[in-house]
Amino acid sequence: MFLFYSNQVDEGMILLEAEEARHCAQVLRKKPGDQIEVVDGLGNWYIGTLTSVEKRQCLVKIDETRSDIHQRPFHLHMAVAPTKNINRLEWFLEKATEFGVDEISLLLCQNSERQKVRTDRLERILIAAMKQSLKAKLPVLHEPLAFAKFMERNQQGQLCIAHCREEEKPHLQHMLQAGQDVCILIGPEGDFTEQEIHLAKANNYKPVSLGESRLRTETAAIAACHIANLINT
Amino acid sequence: MFLFYSNQVDEGMILLEAEEARHCAQVLRKKPGDQIEVVDGLGNWYIGTLTSVEKRQCLVKIDETRSDIHQRPFHLHMAVAPTKNINRLEWFLEKATEFGVDEISLLLCQNSERQKVRTDRLERILIAAMKQSLKAKLPVLHEPLAFAKFMERNQQGQLCIAHCREEEKPHLQHMLQAGQDVCILIGPEGDFTEQEIHLAKANNYKPVSLGESRLRTETAAIAACHIANLINT
């Protein structure tokens, strides 16, 4: 089953544009009168009937709206330092969307080798992953932000920082409670600095371990995201 | 810290060849007398002293051998259908090695879109991931095998098949016991067929769920591998 995406929903009608319209008209060869399913990325899943089909834009009349798709009992915010190799960050975004994540921040850390990220491209990866995993809600992706600035935003819920420095740390899976919001910080290839860890602790982030193995940044991020979802399964 | 790999260890000496020798001699510019660390992929971690350094081969005299690195309390065998896009299988191999896996089989299923795989290239990915995650043991990778043939090999321990068809299935995390061997089957993009699921059940594989989300093949495989490791953490 193919799921379409549109953020243009108004007065009982949905507008498909660009790639979504082209796929509908030229790849799937849909015709007016055909029924399709569309999500708006805000949690709404529509079943509608095509009223006009062109390769640049298609119009869909909404027959049914479902707003209860995969509702999650908690809010998961992953704050991750972008990897030097952008493919690794993109891979994380796809996998996190499949497992389930609500909000993603990109942390610019003292040891970050990458300071610039094109979020428009990352946005397209999130949309594709949302559709592929049949979800109606698109994770919110924030523009890159300096670690210290991120600390100024008071996050709510269970706050964790996964760092690799020597310290007594409980495993994340023994730390999280189900049904409570979570925000997890994942550092860059060179790890968080002592200064960043100190600042995070001062802001009530608890150091956690993700196990004995040395994990790459994106692997640590996907592990943490997966654990938060497992706790709530 | 950089970890070297060699499967040529004999009478207290280790031979580094090809890429390992080149990296030692030309990238890290090591000299005779320098100490390096080497793993053999069989669970042995060596600390040794370079006695000769050339870009095609280096010799290392073993000073110390450790065989107790990251010993795992169970044996994990992941049997996965290769993905149509080989990169997705390669991602799985890298991540599974980081999390910890002992044995990997490639299943050729009725719905498999890919029937051929070059395991030599996959082997290199496993070696790189083993070194990067500081492990001494290399996962054993088997040549692709037809599903029915794999069923003829009597696997031991907790046998699970993760399929997506409608059926009452416990979540894998509620199914596995710590300290016991595990073998998990992951199907291709088109899922296992009813016939394959029936055959697996006849061979004592228990159907399991990996959660509500629709996961890609490699994501399901990484999730299952991660869960088996979490249960044993």
Side-chain angles (χ1 to χ4, degrees):
Chain A
M1 169 224 166
F2 187 86
L3 187 60
F4 290 91
Y5 164 72
S6 171
N7 56 9
Q8 298 185 70
V9 181
D10 189 29
E11 293 178 344
M13 299 296 291
I14 303 169
L15 178 64
L16 301 184
E17 288 187 315
E19 188 46 38
E20 298 289 314
R22 197 192 65 76
H23 197 85
C24 181
Q26 299 195 306
V27 179
L28 299 179
R29 300 178 172 284
K30 296 288 186 184
K31 302 270 170 279
D34 289 346
Q35 209 170 48
I36 64 171
E37 306 198 20
V38 187
V39 291
D40 65 359
L42 302 172
N44 299 302
W45 184 300
Y46 304 100
I47 298 171
T49 304
L50 285 157
T51 57
S52 88
V53 179
E54 290 162 29
K55 72 168 187 258
R56 285 207 175 61
Q57 61 174 42
C58 303
L59 271 172
V60 184
K61 185 182 154 305
I62 297 172
D63 301 322
E64 183 188 340
T65 304
R66 293 185 55 195
S67 308
D68 58 350
I69 309 294
H70 281 318
Q71 283 186 336
R72 293 152 54 73
F74 75 117
H75 182 92
L76 175 57
H77 185 166
M78 294 296 305
V80 181
T83 49
K84 183 179 177 187
N85 173 346
I86 198 70
N87 295 337
R88 296 185 172 277
L89 176 64
E90 292 177 356
W91 180 88
F92 161 71
L93 293 175
E94 177 180 294
K95 298 314 169 204
T97 304
E98 288 180 59
F99 285 134
V101 62
D102 302 285
E103 198 173 349
I104 298 163
S105 290
L106 302 175
L107 298 177
L108 302 181
C109 300
Q110 288 168 355
N111 288 337
S112 289
E113 294 189 67
R114 168 182 291 276
Q115 296 288 334
K116 295 216 178 323
V117 179
R118 279 191 48 203
T119 49
D120 56 343
R121 176 184 159 88
L122 302 182
E123 195 70 38
R124 287 199 296 277
I125 288 167
L126 291 173
I127 289 170
M130 168 186 69
K131 291 165 59 180
Q132 197 278 335
S133 60
L134 303 182
K135 291 181 163 57
K137 202 154 170 247
L138 185 67
V140 175
L141 176 67
H142 299 290
E143 289 294 324
L145 190 65
F147 184 86
K149 285 276 175 214
F150 185 81
M151 285 295 117
E152 291 170 8
R153 312 227 165 141
N154 291 325
Q155 302 297 335
Q156 298 307 310
Q158 310 176 87
L159 311 181
C160 304
I161 178 169
H163 70 77
C164 309
R165 299 181 182 273
E166 280 306 319
E167 174 176 15
E168 207 38 65
K169 290 169 290 190
H171 194 292
L172 180 63
Q173 72 172 333
H174 303 133
M175 182 90 163
L176 296 181
Q177 307 286 323
Q180 294 179 32
D181 294 348
V182 179
C183 178
I184 304 171
L185 312 180
I186 303 290
E189 278 84 350
D191 202 0
F192 290 113
T193 60
E194 292 289 0
Q195 190 185 3
E196 287 166 335
I197 294 169
H198 182 81
L199 182 58
K201 287 178 179 174
N203 285 276
N204 302 315
Y205 285 83
K206 304 276 176 284
V208 292
S209 156
L210 296 170
E212 283 201 353
S213 295
R214 177 166 85 166
L215 303 178
R216 287 179 174 276
T217 290
E218 77 280 6
T219 317
I222 207 61
C225 176
H226 187 217
I227 289 167
N229 280 284
L230 286 172
I231 297 289
N232 284 276
T233 296
Chain B
M1 171 222 163
F2 186 86
L3 187 60
F4 290 90
Y5 164 72
S6 171
N7 56 7
Q8 297 185 71
V9 182
D10 189 29
E11 294 180 346
M13 298 296 291
I14 303 169
L15 178 65
L16 301 184
E17 288 187 313
E19 189 46 39
E20 299 289 314
R22 197 191 63 77
H23 197 84
C24 182
Q26 298 195 307
V27 179
L28 300 178
R29 300 179 172 284
K30 296 288 185 183
K31 302 271 169 277
D34 289 346
Q35 209 171 48
I36 64 170
E37 306 198 20
V38 186
V39 291
D40 65 359
L42 302 173
N44 299 302
W45 184 301
Y46 303 100
I47 299 171
T49 304
L50 286 157
T51 58
S52 87
V53 179
E54 291 162 29
K55 72 169 189 255
R56 286 205 174 63
Q57 62 174 45
C58 302
L59 271 172
V60 184
K61 185 182 155 305
I62 298 172
D63 301 321
E64 183 189 340
T65 304
R66 292 186 54 195
S67 308
D68 58 352
I69 309 294
H70 281 318
Q71 282 186 336
R72 296 152 51 73
F74 74 117
H75 182 92
L76 176 56
H77 186 166
M78 295 296 305
V80 181
T83 50
K84 183 179 176 187
N85 172 348
I86 198 70
N87 294 337
R88 296 184 171 279
L89 177 64
E90 293 176 358
W91 270 112
F92 160 70
L93 293 175
E94 178 180 293
K95 298 317 171 198
T97 304
E98 289 181 58
F99 285 135
V101 62
D102 302 284
E103 198 172 349
I104 298 163
S105 291
L106 302 175
L107 297 177
L108 302 181
C109 300
Q110 288 168 356
N111 289 336
S112 290
E113 293 189 65
R114 167 182 292 276
Q115 296 289 335
K116 294 214 178 325
V117 180
R118 279 191 49 202
T119 48
D120 56 342
R121 176 184 158 88
L122 302 181
E123 196 69 38
R124 287 198 297 277
I125 288 168
L126 292 173
I127 290 170
M130 169 186 69
K131 291 165 59 180
Q132 197 278 335
S133 59
L134 303 182
K135 291 181 162 58
K137 205 157 168 240
L138 185 67
V140 175
L141 177 67
H142 299 290
E143 289 294 325
L145 190 65
F147 184 85
K149 285 275 175 217
F150 185 81
M151 283 296 118
E152 292 171 9
R153 313 230 165 140
N154 291 326
Q155 303 297 335
Q156 299 307 311
Q158 309 175 87
L159 310 181
C160 304
I161 178 169
H163 69 77
C164 309
R165 298 180 183 277
E166 280 306 320
E167 174 176 13
E168 205 40 65
K169 290 170 289 190
H171 194 292
L172 179 63
Q173 71 172 333
H174 303 133
M175 181 88 163
L176 295 182
Q177 307 285 324
Q180 293 180 30
D181 295 348
V182 180
C183 178
I184 305 172
L185 312 180
I186 303 290
E189 276 86 349
D191 202 0
F192 290 113
T193 61
E194 291 290 1
Q195 191 185 0
E196 287 165 335
I197 295 168
H198 182 80
L199 182 58
K201 287 177 178 174
N203 285 275
N204 301 316
Y205 286 83
K206 305 273 175 288
V208 292
S209 156
L210 296 171
E212 282 202 353
S213 295
R214 177 166 86 166
L215 304 178
R216 287 178 174 276
T217 289
E218 77 281 6
T219 317
I222 289 164
C225 176
H226 187 217
I227 288 167
N229 279 285
L230 285 173
I231 297 289
N232 284 277
T233 297

